[in-house]
Amino acid sequence: MAKYNITEKKEKEAAYRSLVSPRLMDELKEKILDIILIQKKYKDKEYSAKKLAEDLGTNTRYISAVVNVRFHMNYTSFVNKFRIEEAMTILVDKRYQDLNMEDISNMVGFSNRQSFYASFFKINGMTPREYKMRHFAQHPSLRESRKETRKSKRVSSNIG
């Protein structure tokens, strides 16, 4: 007899997903992308699936169905994906080098540092700090801080 009763997780097919026509799914997909990505609502900590549904004149079941079927994830994962992509850009941008992880977490729309770290690790398999360190290890010339850059510019302008 097996020690653990492990069963394979079956993909559940929610009935409401089939109620949304493919044409409506495509329309909603484009509108969702426009609001979440183009209008950058992913940065808004308070912007929920409910608010998105209200803005689109639909309900949260339709939003959930579209995000699940068209993007293959739930609403939270969908929004966090854009937050993490922006955080990855900020982490390796010299202009933001002096920011701490809490600041970056807030900038991209996370309510707290813990959820930022958890989402970042889930997507990248490493912490934001590890990601930043690896990037700067691969590109040592980017490591100097803004203060050092300004200082070297002053010195070189005084020499010339």
Side-chain angles (χ1 to χ4, degrees), residues 120-135:
F120 197 99
F121 192 86
K122 183 179 178 185
I123 290 172
N124 294 302
M126 67 181 86
T127 67
R129 196 166 311 290
E130 289 171 329
Y131 178 82
K132 183 177 184 175
M133 295 306 170
R134 281 191 190 177
H135 177 80

Side-chain angles (χ1 to χ4, degrees), residues 64-79:
S64 179
V66 172
V67 172
N68 274 273
V69 172
R70 294 296 193 244
F71 301 107
H72 311 288
M73 59 185 85
N74 64 33
Y75 177 80
T76 302
S77 296
F78 176 70
V79 171

